[in-house]
Amino acid sequence: MDPDAVKSTLSNLAFGNVIAAAARDYQKEILSKEKAQATAASHDEVDLDELLDDPELEKLHADRIAALKKEAEKREVLKRQGHGEYREITEGDFLGEVTGSEKVICHFYHREFYRCKIMDKHLKALTPLYVGTKFIKLDAENAPFFVAKLAIKTLPCVILFKKGIAVDRLVGFQDLGSKDDFSTRALENILKMKGIIDEMKKDDDEEDDESESKNRRVRSSTTQDSDSD
């Protein structure tokens, strides 16, 4: 037999064996990956079932629902007390209004004063955001008794009440840079600093929900990138 022919035949057999071995290895790798994916999916199902049946998770959920219900009931009580709406009151209503809530902001104003209208605009914007505080206004011309008792000499005058006691006041725009173009946020910050408003605003709740949603999207994207690698 021709030696070259024998060598060629042996070489072809060897190459064929290498290809066959590589094919077997590739098939094993594919089967291994499929098995790993199936195992991971099985684990995910088990973990989800365990979470659904987790008594601690159920308790947290129940506590959260109870807290939300309690907060909703509290807001309803406050609304019945006149919170959540910027209202005009009369001198006869004054004592009942300021003593009937824990925190009250009362704007003593004059209908013809331009700066009183500016203050009105900002207080009206803040009222629905801070339901825990009552926002009211009183025409100073129609409330001479309390104007004298509270020594109000400059309008607008915003008096802050806690548990029926006048604890602080904003006279004119002195705390707001003495300018007419101050922002609602500037007034909001002063009222927060004075401790008359302190609840979380509605838009803060929405921002928290949006932030959490964004975090979930980032985590999901990170997981997908890891899987693709």
Side-chain angles (χ1 to χ4, degrees):
M1 181 179 289
D2 185 358
D4 291 336
V6 172
K7 185 183 293 186
S8 177
T9 300
L10 291 175
S11 177
N12 289 337
L13 287 174
F15 179 74
N17 289 337
V18 169
I19 295 299
R24 286 194 299 272
D25 291 342
Y26 178 73
Q27 186 176 16
K28 287 180 181 179
E29 184 178 349
I30 294 297
L31 290 173
S32 177
K33 285 185 176 181
E34 290 179 350
K35 184 177 180 181
Q37 290 175 352
T39 301
S42 175
H43 285 168
D44 288 343
E45 292 175 2
V46 171
D47 291 342
L48 181 59
D49 290 339
E50 289 177 355
L51 283 175
L52 291 174
D53 296 332
D54 189 342
E56 291 186 5
L57 185 61
E58 290 181 1
K59 183 178 183 303
L60 287 174
H61 180 65
D63 290 345
R64 176 60 175 163
I65 294 298
L68 290 173
K69 183 178 179 181
K70 184 176 180 181
E71 181 64 24
E73 292 173 350
K74 178 183 176 182
R75 284 179 174 269
E76 285 302 315
V77 170
L78 291 173
K79 286 181 179 180
R80 287 196 294 271
Q81 294 174 352
H83 293 239
E85 181 183 359
Y86 186 46
R87 299 177 295 111
E88 179 158 7
I89 64 169
T90 66
E91 187 173 50
D93 298 328
F94 180 75
L95 282 179
E97 292 284 359
V98 298
T99 59
S101 296
E102 183 176 350
K103 295 180 179 181
V104 180
I105 294 174
C106 184
H107 174 206
F108 283 82
Y109 77 103
H110 190 287
R111 294 182 183 276
E112 302 301 324
F113 288 5
Y114 177 67
R115 282 193 163 187
C116 289
K117 294 177 182 179
I118 294 175
M119 183 62 74
D120 260 349
K121 178 186 71 173
H122 294 300
L123 290 174
K124 186 175 182 179
L126 292 174
T127 299
L129 303 180
Y130 294 95
V131 181
T133 299
K134 180 187 291 183
F135 289 73
I136 54 178
K137 63 179 181 177
L138 180 58
D139 188 338
E141 278 194 320
N142 296 326
F145 178 80
F146 289 109
V147 166
K149 284 292 182 182
L150 294 168
I152 297 173
K153 298 179 181 179
T154 301
L155 299 178
C157 183
V158 178
I159 299 186
L160 316 180
F161 294 87
K162 289 185 179 180
K163 297 181 179 180
I165 300 173
V167 295
D168 209 338
R169 66 180 62 196
L170 301 179
V171 179
F173 293 172
Q174 293 175 10
D175 295 311
L176 296 157
S178 298
K179 296 181 179 180
D180 294 353
D181 59 350
F182 66 89
S183 66
T184 301
R185 178 60 61 87
L187 176 60
E188 179 183 26
N189 289 337
I190 288 174
L191 294 176
K192 280 184 177 180
M193 182 181 66
K194 293 180 178 295
I196 200 67
I197 56 174
D198 55 9
E199 292 183 359
M200 180 179 286
K201 298 190 302 181
K202 290 180 181 178
D203 56 356
D204 288 338
D205 289 327
E206 292 169 359
E207 287 174 5
D208 287 344
D209 292 341
E210 183 180 349
S211 177
E212 177 59 27
S213 176
K214 182 178 180 181
N215 289 338
R216 286 197 296 268
R217 290 196 298 269
V218 170
R219 289 195 296 268
S220 176
S221 175
T222 302
T223 302
Q224 292 174 5
D225 291 342
S226 298
D227 291 341
S228 64
D229 292 341

